[in-house]
Amino acid sequence: MTVKQLIEHLQTLDPELYVFTPGYEGGLEDININSRVIHVELDHNKAWYYGPHEEVLNPELFPNAVKGIKL
């Protein structure tokens, strides 16, 4: 999802809704809005227990990596 797509989706929602993310072992957490740009290799992980994408620390080794933010 791009920032543009996220903004478009959020504009369809009640602006007074709270926003949460899943907690590590359970429960919910507030999102972290102190985001920084990261590099991500899309569809990197195949195992079901990992998210499909992976942050890469050496983007020069991953020519298809995209820039993104992690909330």
Side-chain angles (χ1 to χ4, degrees):
M1 173 178 278
T2 65
V3 170
K4 179 181 177 183
Q5 291 169 319
L6 178 60
I7 290 169
E8 288 171 357
H9 175 70
L10 291 174
Q11 287 176 331
T12 68
L13 302 174
D14 177 351
E16 297 301 318
L17 289 174
Y18 285 88
V19 180
F20 302 102
T21 187
Y24 179 72
E25 290 274 341
L28 300 169
E29 297 182 22
D30 293 313
I31 63 165
N32 179 356
I33 59 172
N34 298 321
S35 56
R36 61 181 176 79
V37 174
I38 61 172
H39 291 86
V40 176
E41 180 76 6
L42 299 177
D43 301 318
H44 179 83
N45 296 318
K46 304 301 179 212
W48 64 268
Y49 45 85
Y50 288 128
H53 315 304
E54 189 69 38
E55 180 177 358
V56 295
L57 302 179
N58 297 314
E60 62 278 358
L61 300 177
F62 297 87
N64 294 325
V66 299
K67 289 182 180 179
I69 58 170
K70 179 172 53 173
L71 298 178

